Amino acid sequence: MTQPPADVRAVTEYRIPAPTLLPGDLVNTAPGSEDDWQQVLSVHTAETPGDDPDAAALIAEIGDRYVVVRLTDVAPVDSPVYFSDGAALAYGADGEEDGPVTEVLSEADAVRTFLYTRFELVNVRSRPMV
């Protein structure tokens, strides 16, 4: 029997040491519970403190025991969205009124900063071969 061709968009989740993260990697910040995938913006170590002054100062203070990782902070929109008179609205949750989608979106430049140990394995996704 012939196998169907592999989907080039398919990804695999795997674990890598935190210091080997690269900008653009997708990291699951909540493995084992509700997945929360965020994109790596920058990685800072004692060897490569980087250009971000806050991250570099933190690395200078904590030394080579930790890795500072700056991630996007894109929150999911868990409500269904609909359009009314040309406006995008999200259904209200828990008895709240429906409201503009723009009120439930994350800020465009929101950033999370995580501290991982140098030896910590981080859940990442492979990059699809599209």
Side-chain angles (χ1 to χ4, degrees):
M1 184 191 291
T2 305
Q3 293 288 342
D7 188 335
V8 296
R9 298 168 299 168
V11 294
T12 303
E13 184 176 337
Y14 57 100
R15 296 170 58 134
I16 62 172
T20 64
L21 286 168
L22 298 172
D25 284 344
L26 293 178
V27 173
N28 186 354
T29 64
S33 63
E34 292 185 30
D35 288 347
D36 180 19
W37 292 95
Q38 301 296 327
Q39 187 173 38
V40 174
L41 300 172
S42 61
V43 181
H44 308 268
T45 64
E47 297 81 20
T48 56
D51 295 336
D52 182 89
D54 294 331
L58 178 56
I59 282 295
E61 185 176 334
I62 61 178
D64 64 354
R65 298 177 297 149
Y66 294 93
V67 177
V68 175
V69 180
R70 295 178 63 246
L71 305 167
T72 56
D73 188 15
V74 182
V77 176
D78 293 327
S79 301
V81 174
Y82 67 97
F83 295 91
S84 177
D85 296 325
L89 302 172
Y91 285 101
D94 300 326
E96 293 181 21
E97 290 189 26
D98 299 355
V101 168
T102 55
E103 291 182 7
V104 294
L105 298 178
S106 297
E107 295 179 28
D109 59 353
V111 174
R112 289 187 206 176
T113 302
F114 273 65
L115 280 179
Y116 294 107
T117 70
R118 288 186 94 36
F119 312 107
E120 193 167 349
L121 296 176
V122 181
N123 289 42
V124 297
R125 282 188 175 169
S126 64
R127 296 181 186 188
M129 299 171 55
V130 181

